[in-house]
Amino acid sequence: MGNVLLTPDVSGAGGAPTVGNGTVKAKLAMRLEGVWKTYPGAAQPAVQNLSLDLYDGEIVTLLGPSGCGKTTTLRIVAGLEVPDRGDIFFG
């Protein structure tokens, strides 16, 4: 299984996007905490311990090789799949 590279478009180093003086300019839109998903019969999880904060106005890409969990992550966020473990929060 490969790794998923998450590349958020943020102006600050980690955490919420910030303006020049360090003040937060966007509120949390979605949080994934410790999300796991293993499909029946699979040897390894499709998504393993994924935690991610996304803020209003961010543009985020999921990059990685085939089979690393990109589509599964999006399906979980959309409500088309149920994670085995972890939590998803909106707003």
Side-chain angles (χ1 to χ4, degrees):
M1 178 173 80
N3 293 322
V4 176
L5 174 62
L6 303 168
T7 57
D9 178 21
V10 296
S11 57
T18 59
V19 292
N21 63 4
T23 59
V24 174
K25 70 175 184 179
K27 70 176 189 136
L28 187 65
M30 181 178 65
R31 170 173 282 161
L32 283 72
E33 290 183 351
V35 174
W36 288 71
K37 176 67 179 179
T38 303
Y39 289 105
Q44 296 180 337
V47 176
Q48 182 176 346
N49 200 29
L50 175 62
S51 295
L52 172 67
D53 287 345
L54 300 173
Y55 293 88
D56 284 348
E58 278 190 313
I59 298 171
V60 177
T61 60
L62 300 177
L63 302 173
S66 178
C68 72
K70 301 177 302 287
T71 300
T72 299
T73 298
L74 293 175
R75 290 179 57 84
I76 290 170
V77 168
L80 301 173
E81 296 283 348
V82 177
D84 299 328
R85 280 187 274 179
D87 296 300
I88 302 172
F89 304 97
F90 293 97

